[in-house]
Amino acid sequence: VAKNQGRNRYARFDPCMQEAAQTRMRLLNDMHLALPAGEFSLVYQPIVDLGSARIVKAEALLRWQHPTRGLILPGDFIPLAEESGMILEIGEWVFRQAAQQIQRWRERYDPTLQVSINASPMQFRADGIDLQDWLDCLAAAGTTSDGITLEITEGVLLDQGEDVLARLEAFRSAGMRIALDDFGVGYSSLSYLRKFDIDYLKIDRSFVSSLTETSNDLAVCEAIIMMAHKLGLEVIAEGIETAQQRALLADIGCDLGQGYLFARPLAAEAFEDLLRAAG
Ligand code: C2E
Ligand code: MG
Ligand code: MG
Ligand code: MG
């Protein structure tokens, strides 16, 4: 009996698992070289006013052009960057890059344009972002902090208490905005809204993708939007791909949206073409 159970219960040596571990190790090694080698870049996706389709923000999204594996999307390397701590260094690079970019676009096209930057939970720990350092960086770029929105996930609010609360408050006091990303897919999102002052809720793509007039998702989105507005927040819907989704969301009062219907994430030059065309 013990023998039989043992066979089922214990993982045997699996050559696939070993291969996966080696791939991870290699990717991690490569990641250390990627920053100095200039293999990271940012693409920008427009966030638009749902009524007028006017671009109000650009979400900066990280891309890694690997020398042999080609383009790697964040889902395939951010988790590794977080585990290894490299996300701190990468996150600093992202911020600097985005700050310079937004300053340029504000100067040339629209002084009210904002950039949204995704931040990882680790960046809100004690050894994470140095707020004064960021403010100095913004000043050096010639831009003001109201051009910056930080997109955080539940993970930021999850592991900690007073520390992170105080840190987020400091960002807001310094003029930056905070958006709660991927809203609706986590566990206890509602309790965070009581505790943390934020500026935007981003409705997760999974609610938008199956949106129809009769879907439960429509009722859920409507409830989220009503609640958010009562709390004084603006709502951004992500992953809008069809005109019907846009119309339904606009109908129920959603403020802003982004998705392939409007534009895919674009290289900086292509995003600039959009701004030029709009201006
Ligand atoms: P996110 O912040 O929720 O970003 C939205 C994701 O949805 C992006 O994927 C975007 O390309 C994709 N998307 C936008 N519109 C549509 C649509 O209409 N349909 C579909 N199917 N997808 C759409 P991406 O660029 O692969 O990024 C994935 C995630 O990686 C992001 O999710 C964010 O959590 C993370 N990430 C990206 N850049 C950074 C970064 O600089 N730092 C950190 N810490 N995380 C990042
Ligand atoms: Mg985001
Ligand atoms: Mg999101
Ligand atoms: Mg998402």
Side-chain angles (χ1 to χ4, degrees):
V1 172
K3 204 171 170 188
N4 273 339
Q5 279 185 349
R7 187 173 294 161
N8 292 329
R9 204 183 316 142
Y10 300 118
R12 281 168 299 169
F13 173 74
D14 181 348
C16 281
M17 273 171 62
Q18 198 196 21
E19 216 176 282
Q22 278 173 357
T23 304
R24 273 171 50 96
M25 281 306 293
R26 244 179 269 132
L27 205 59
L28 195 54
N29 270 328
D30 295 348
M31 210 187 293
H32 280 106
L33 307 173
L35 212 49
E39 291 164 12
F40 287 122
S41 64
L42 292 179
V43 289
Y44 297 88
Q45 188 178 36
I47 297 177
V48 306
D49 180 290
L50 271 193
S52 64
R54 195 178 80 86
I55 299 174
V56 295
K57 287 174 184 289
E59 179 172 4
L61 296 159
L62 191 58
R63 295 292 180 262
W64 179 7
Q65 188 65 45
H66 188 281
T68 58
R69 300 164 119 232
L71 182 70
I72 311 183
L73 293 172
D76 291 324
F77 68 89
I78 294 276
L80 204 55
E82 288 175 335
E83 277 170 52
S84 66
M86 266 210 69
I87 194 67
L88 293 182
E89 209 184 318
I90 296 173
E92 289 301 308
W93 181 85
V94 167
F95 174 75
R96 263 149 242 277
Q97 195 73 13
Q100 284 165 22
Q101 189 60 77
I102 195 63
Q103 171 53 18
R104 178 184 157 87
W105 285 339
R106 287 182 142 210
E107 241 168 53
R108 295 198 171 189
Y109 304 102
D110 177 0
T112 66
L113 190 70
Q114 301 182 334
V115 69
S116 281
I117 298 169
N118 292 283
S120 289
M122 231 183 183
Q123 294 179 268
F124 291 90
R125 303 225 182 116
D127 62 346
I129 300 164
D130 179 335
L131 177 58
Q132 191 52 51
D133 200 48
W134 274 27
L135 295 175
D136 292 346
C137 170
L138 289 175
T143 199
T144 46
S145 50
D146 64 338
I148 307 288
T149 297
L150 285 181
E151 296 198 0
I152 62 170
T153 55
E154 211 176 63
V156 171
L157 311 178
L158 228 157
D159 75 59
Q160 57 266 222
E162 301 306 308
D163 261 26
V164 168
L165 204 127
R167 226 159 269 141
L168 284 176
E169 264 321 299
F171 279 95
R172 291 188 80 237
S173 306
M176 289 181 227
R177 321 265 163 87
I178 307 284
L180 190 52
D181 208 348
D182 303 333
F183 186 78
V185 290
Y187 289 103
S188 45
S189 315
L190 289 182
S191 70
Y192 300 132
L193 295 182
R194 291 164 42 218
K195 219 165 137 191
F196 296 90
D197 282 323
I198 54 171
D199 303 281
Y200 303 95
L201 271 194
K202 297 192 76 172
I203 299 181
D204 191 68
R205 189 170 80 219
S206 57
F207 292 97
V208 174
S209 61
S210 50
L211 214 54
T212 62
E213 267 135 42
T214 54
S215 65
N216 287 336
D217 285 334
L218 186 63
V220 171
C221 286
E222 196 169 2
I224 292 175
I225 292 164
M226 271 176 57
M227 177 193 64
H229 285 168
K230 286 227 157 108
L231 291 167
L233 313 177
E234 280 193 277
V235 181
I236 306 172
E238 57 178 31
I240 301 177
E241 294 184 354
T242 69
Q244 191 200 19
Q245 290 163 359
R246 174 192 176 177
L248 288 171
L249 286 161
D251 269 357
I252 57 176
C254 187
D255 306 283
L256 307 171
Q258 70 188 113
Y260 297 167
L261 174 68
F262 303 103
R264 294 193 171 246
L266 302 166
E269 304 76 47
F271 192 94
E272 198 160 326
D273 289 341
L274 285 187
L275 292 175
R276 197 176 299 117

